[in-house]
Amino acid sequence: MEATWQEQLRAVGLRVTRPRLSVLQVLAERPHADVDTIVTAAREVHPTLSPQAVYGVLQALVTGGLARRIEPAGAPALFELRVGDNHHHLVCRSCGAVADVDCTVGAAPCLTPSDTAGFVVDEAEVVFWGLCRDCRVGKPSETTKVPEHHDRGGVHE
Amino acid sequence: MEATWQEQLRAVGLRVTRPRLSVLQVLAERPHADVDTIVTAAREVHPTLSPQAVYGVLQALVTGGLARRIEPAGAPALFELRVGDNHHHLVCRSCGAVADVDCTVGAAPCLTPSDTAGFVVDEAEVVFWGLCRDCRVGKPSETTKVPEHHDRGGVHE
DNA sequence: GTCCTTGATTTGACTCGATCAAGAAAACCG
DNA sequence: CGGTTTTCTTGATCGAGTCAAATCAAGGAC
C-alpha cells in the first residue's frame, strides 16, 4: 500500500520520507484525524516523530492536494485523504465525531448562491451538525463539549 | 434603537448593561465582526470595556439566541445578529471578508443528506469560499492569507 | 430613594492549537 | 559514494479563547 503513497508523493513533487509515509498510513486508517491523533498513531511506527513534523507533513500534503484540511467550528483541524470529490461532513455536537456524506444531488441549487455580492465562488462547503448515534442514546462518549444545545432554525427550513 | 436592545435582552432573561448595549450596537453596524473589532469599536462609547467582557457578552447573546457565532476555517470567530433565518455566508479567501447569502431554495435537497450515518442532524451550515470583488481586481486588501490557491473540485460538481 | 441579592464585569493567569526559526538529518541526483 | 536541497528536529513564540477570584452594577424589595 505504501507503494501508492510513494507514487503519489512523487507525483506532486514531494520527497518520500518516513514521517510522510507514516502520516499517510494513519490517515488511511483514521479518515478524520486531528494532529494529536496523527502524532500518537504515527509514533507506533516512527517513535521519534515530532508534532511539528506532522504539521509540516500535513501542510505539504494539503498543498500538494493529497490531503484536505477540515476545521469544524470549535474543534482542532482534522485531515482526510479524500480529495477531489466534493463530499461533505456530519459533525457530532457532543463528541466531535465526523462522518462523510456524499452529496447525492448532481446539480446543487442551494450551492450556487443567487446573489454572490461580487464574490467569485470556487468552493462550497457544507457541514451538517447533529448528534451521532452513540451520543444520542445517552452515552456522551468522552468529551461532552455542548451539554445544552440551543436550536435556532433547524435544518435549513 | 437601544430600546429594542433592552427589550430583546430582557426577553431572554439578560440584564441590560452598558457592555451588552455597546456590543449589540457594534454588531448592528458591522454585521460580521470579530472580537477584536467589537472591542475596539465598542470602546468608542465605553472606553473601559475589556476583551473578556466582550467574550462574556457574546457568549450570553449567543446562548440567549440574540447573536450567532460563525467560525470560518482559519479565522477568528465572527458574530452576527441575524438569527432565526438560516442564511449562509460567502467568505473571501484573501481578505476574509464575509457576506450574507440568502438561500433562495425553499426545499434544499442537498441539505438533507441521504445517508446520515446514524446522526440526527439539526442544522446545516454552508460556506461559500471565493474571492471578493476587491481582492479579485488585484487589490489584496490587507491580509493576503492564501496567496496560492489549490482548487480541488470547484463548486460542488 | 436606598438597600440587598444576584448577576455581570474586571483583572490576571493560563490552556491549547498552531506557527516560526535555526541547526541537524535525510533524500535524491549524478 | 559525496553534494545539494529538502525535510525533520528542537525550542521558542504567538494568538484566540478560557478559567477563576474579586470587584462592581442592575434591578427588585423595602
Side-chain angles (χ1 to χ4, degrees), chain B residues 74-146:
Chain B
L78 306 178
F79 294 84
E80 64 183 357
L81 293 182
R82 281 187 65 179
V83 293
D85 65 334
N86 196 327
H87 68 276
H88 306 310
H89 295 104
L90 289 154
V91 184
C92 177
R93 290 188 191 276
S94 178
C95 69
V98 175
D100 287 331
V101 53
D102 295 303
C103 183
T104 55
V105 180
C110 203
L111 297 183
T112 56
S114 54
D115 177 17
T116 58
F119 281 59
V120 174
V121 178
D122 61 64
E123 187 186 356
E125 180 186 1
V126 182
V127 176
F128 298 97
W129 292 94
L131 289 177
C132 70
R133 187 183 289 112
D134 289 349
C135 293
R136 188 153 38 88
V137 299
K139 182 172 71 74
S141 293
E142 49 238 291
T143 48
T144 302
K145 297 174 183 173
V146 184

Side-chain angles (χ1 to χ4, degrees), chain A residues 62-65 67-75 83-86 88 90-93 97-134 136 148-157, chain B residues 62-65 67-75 83-88 90-93 97-133 136 148-157:
Chain A
V62 170
T63 303
R68 184 177 160 198
R69 179 190 193 128
I70 60 179
E71 299 183 43
V83 293
D85 66 333
N86 197 328
H88 306 310
L90 288 154
V91 184
C92 178
R93 290 187 191 277
V98 175
D100 287 331
V101 53
D102 295 302
C103 184
T104 55
V105 181
C110 204
L111 296 183
T112 55
S114 54
D115 178 16
T116 58
F119 281 59
V120 174
V121 177
D122 61 66
E123 186 184 356
E125 180 186 2
V126 182
V127 176
F128 299 97
W129 292 93
L131 289 177
C132 69
R133 187 183 288 114
D134 289 347
R136 188 153 39 87
E148 78 248 20
H149 165 234
H150 273 270
D151 191 27
R152 40 187 169 354
V155 179
H156 197 280
E157 298 297 353
Chain B
V62 170
T63 303
R68 184 176 161 198
R69 177 189 194 128
I70 61 178
E71 299 184 42
V83 293
D85 65 334
N86 196 327
H87 68 276
H88 306 310
L90 289 154
V91 184
C92 177
R93 290 188 191 276
V98 175
D100 287 331
V101 53
D102 295 303
C103 183
T104 55
V105 180
C110 203
L111 297 183
T112 56
S114 54
D115 177 17
T116 58
F119 281 59
V120 174
V121 178
D122 61 64
E123 187 186 356
E125 180 186 1
V126 182
V127 176
F128 298 97
W129 292 94
L131 289 177
C132 70
R133 187 183 289 112
R136 188 153 38 88
E148 78 247 21
H149 166 234
H150 272 270
D151 191 27
R152 39 189 170 352
V155 179
H156 199 281
E157 302 293 357

Side-chain angles (χ1 to χ4, degrees), chain A residues 1-10 16 21:
Chain A
M1 185 61 82
E2 287 191 1
T4 306
W5 303 146
Q6 292 194 13
E7 295 169 11
Q8 291 192 295
L9 286 171
R10 290 232 172 78
V16 178
L21 293 175

